[in-house]
Amino acid sequence: MNIDPMVLLVGVGLLSITCQYLAFKVKIPAILPLLVTGILLGPTFGVLDPDALFGDLLFPLVSLSVAIILFEGALTLKFEDLAGHGSMVRNLCTVGAAVTWAVATPVAHYALGMSWQMAFLFGAIVTVTGPTVIVPMLRSVRPSAKVANILRWEGIVIDPIGALLAVLVYEYIIAVQDAWTHTLLTFGLVLGVGFGLGALMGYGMGLVLRKNWVPHYLQNTAVLTLMLGAFAGSNMLAHESGLLTVTVMGMWLANMKDVDVDDILEFKETLSVLLISALFILLAARLDFGSIMQVGWGAILVLFAIIFIARPISVLISSVGTGLNWRELGLLSWIAPRGIVAAAVSALFALKLETLGYAEADLLVPMVFLVIIATVVLQSLTSVHVANFLGVRAPAPNGFLIFGGSKFSRMLALELINKNIPVRIADTNWDSIRQARMDNIPTYYGNPISEHARRTMDLSAMGQVLVMSPYRQLNPLVTYHFEHAMGKGSVLGLSANEQESRASHQVSESYAKKLGLFSESATYGRLASLVARGATMKTTKLSEAFTLEKYHETYGARALPLCAIDPNGHIFIYTISHEFKTKADWQIVSLVTPETAEEKAAREAKEEAARLQKEADERALKEAKQREAEGEMPPATEA
């Protein structure tokens, strides 16, 4: 099918974002719709032929894209996140990888009829998991922080190790003579160049960023181009050492003191999503159904050995001395999907081996893709249930971090905690924190956006941040920090109505939009005043008899609605721009001000008038019924 290359490129981009959005809506890893799309475009309908579209540029583009993906992943690896579990990650990436290799190789040889050479290469490629599929899976599975950090580190660190292992096997296969010496020399050269150049470039780039030698608007572009330059230069010095170089480079930058990589990471994340999406579609479009059918039933045995034998054994051996319990090991044994690096490396080496005349190379790509599809489909559809069964799934992030420990904040926190909603109060004022601790409210004493807070404050159960402190200089910093970390709309602050009306003293428009918590009149000063006058926190349950209209009639202006809770336990915060249609069985949490003497007298008079009116109505109704009964009585008969 002859289609304009521009149309194909744009079409791949549009389909990529469509697949990502679909995966987000139905809560599945994006690799599934991406692979299906690639298979439909390529071998099914013949619309997309990546080899014809890109020619000789296809695999250089694939290699550069994988480098960007690994570098972005390495930028997220903070050593303190390991929290004592570095030995488990180290063992999984060394001993664990060796176990997987040792199990997958003989099974592939005997079950698929591969030569030992090709089986060793296949076993090396499938040792890698991959951050491109693990990170989205972790978002939906929500395992404990310990398990999540181990899986995330393993997925990023093992990619260059698996690629290095595949390179060594490939070099051994193509070596004409003295293969062992050639392989050992290659191994030493790749390690030396990868670690040396990666550390050098990471330190140099960190120094440039720390000293602000590059203008801020050029930093993202500079880091990207220098990283790609390091990748290409590393490959020139030692074949296929570039992946190790960019991984070391990213980890060095992420852990270098006084180097802020947040903006760079945000840019790389956006770029990585686009590249991952396009790569999966392009590589899946290159699949050959004939080669897949040629694999035969032996593939089932290979998949069983990789998923149910190799992974559990590698996790069990790697866990010796780590202190992980059997539940955590069970989930680690189940989650090990393969991703883009396995797909890219298999396609790259298959092409090279086919060029050199190795007939069995055509089995490599379809078999690796079968492993990718099987592990992703099986584990993405079952991991949530496995985590729930093992009891290592973190609760949904429906809790609240409250910045500001005033009496009102403590009253709201206690009301929410009584309804099993996680709450933590953070404040720099010790008296407020002391009072909160006396009320058994979880607290953090200090600045919630400090480096110490990032390392020690557990926010896994927190879905929103409520900024309710009197610190006007710190509130905007807290707001923007957590909105960046938790997403747009996740941070709400109290109204700034009490600020001066002069334009020079007002906040920015973008910040003002985040200051709509509860109501326009709910400023820090007004809430403190209401609490000082004896206002109390009250939860009112609506019913068919006691409707929302009855609620407003009962409390009137004395009640300030704060949040509504539906029958499923979902909580909705009232804001200036959001009103919720509450129904029967909903609960409304309000701050209720006590009645004044005049209000109480007026209410009692109204209630007395209503009571008297009700009694008069009842008497009138009774008399009417009596008259009606007397009027219908039959006349008396004469004796």
Side-chain angles (χ1 to χ4, degrees), residues 465-489:
V465 178
L466 305 182
V467 180
M468 301 190 296
S469 87
Y471 316 127
R472 291 185 179 177
Q473 289 75 26
L474 191 54
N475 286 346
L477 299 178
V478 172
T479 299
Y480 284 110
H481 171 84
F482 283 107
E483 188 172 62
H484 173 75
M486 302 173 71
K488 190 174 182 180

Side-chain angles (χ1 to χ4, degrees), residues 405 426-434 445-446 471:
D427 203 321
T428 56
N429 184 293
W430 170 247
D431 288 333
S432 297
I433 292 297
R434 181 174 56 81
Y445 174 49
Y471 316 127

Side-chain angles (χ1 to χ4, degrees), residues 87-89 91-92 95 312-325 328-329 332-333:
S87 58
M88 183 66 185
V89 175
N91 294 343
L92 283 173
V95 178
I313 293 176
S314 66
V315 168
L316 187 62
I317 294 177
S318 301
S319 67
V320 174
T322 61
L324 295 172
N325 61 47
E328 293 164 338
L329 295 179
L332 288 170
S333 299

Side-chain angles (χ1 to χ4, degrees), residues 439-605:
D439 292 333
N440 292 320
I441 301 172
T443 61
Y444 174 77
Y445 174 49
N447 186 346
I449 63 174
S450 65
E451 188 67 19
H452 179 270
R454 191 190 69 80
R455 292 196 309 268
T456 61
M457 187 165 54
D458 182 14
L459 298 177
S460 59
M462 306 302 164
Q464 281 192 300
V465 178
L466 305 182
V467 180
M468 301 190 296
S469 87
Y471 316 127
R472 291 185 179 177
Q473 289 75 26
L474 191 54
N475 286 346
L477 299 178
V478 172
T479 299
Y480 284 110
H481 171 84
F482 283 107
E483 188 172 62
H484 173 75
M486 302 173 71
K488 190 174 182 180
S490 60
V491 185
L492 296 169
L494 294 174
S495 172
N497 258 1
E498 59 189 19
Q499 292 189 356
E500 295 191 37
S501 58
R502 286 178 292 180
S504 60
H505 285 215
Q506 291 181 354
V507 298
S508 68
E509 184 178 354
S510 62
Y511 177 58
K513 291 179 180 178
K514 310 177 197 309
L515 305 182
L517 187 56
F518 306 139
S519 75
E520 192 171 357
S521 62
T523 63
Y524 180 86
R526 180 167 181 261
L527 292 175
S529 175
L530 292 175
V531 171
R533 286 160 46 197
T536 57
M537 202 68 61
K538 183 177 179 60
T539 298
T540 306
K541 186 172 183 179
L542 302 181
S543 64
E544 296 294 343
F546 193 83
T547 62
L548 183 62
E549 289 75 17
K550 187 67 174 176
Y551 165 84
H552 287 304
E553 181 183 335
T554 302
Y555 296 108
R558 294 193 301 112
L560 173 63
L562 305 176
C563 58
I565 305 173
D566 70 9
N568 297 319
H570 299 144
I571 186 167
F572 303 88
I573 300 293
Y574 282 98
T575 66
I576 293 174
S577 57
H578 287 86
E579 284 286 340
F580 306 105
K581 295 182 178 179
T582 52
K583 303 176 183 177
D585 294 329
W586 281 56
Q587 300 177 74
I588 299 179
V589 178
S590 313
L591 184 68
V592 181
T593 306
E595 292 178 308
T596 63
E598 292 80 5
E599 290 173 336
K600 183 177 180 180
R603 177 179 58 80
E604 289 177 348

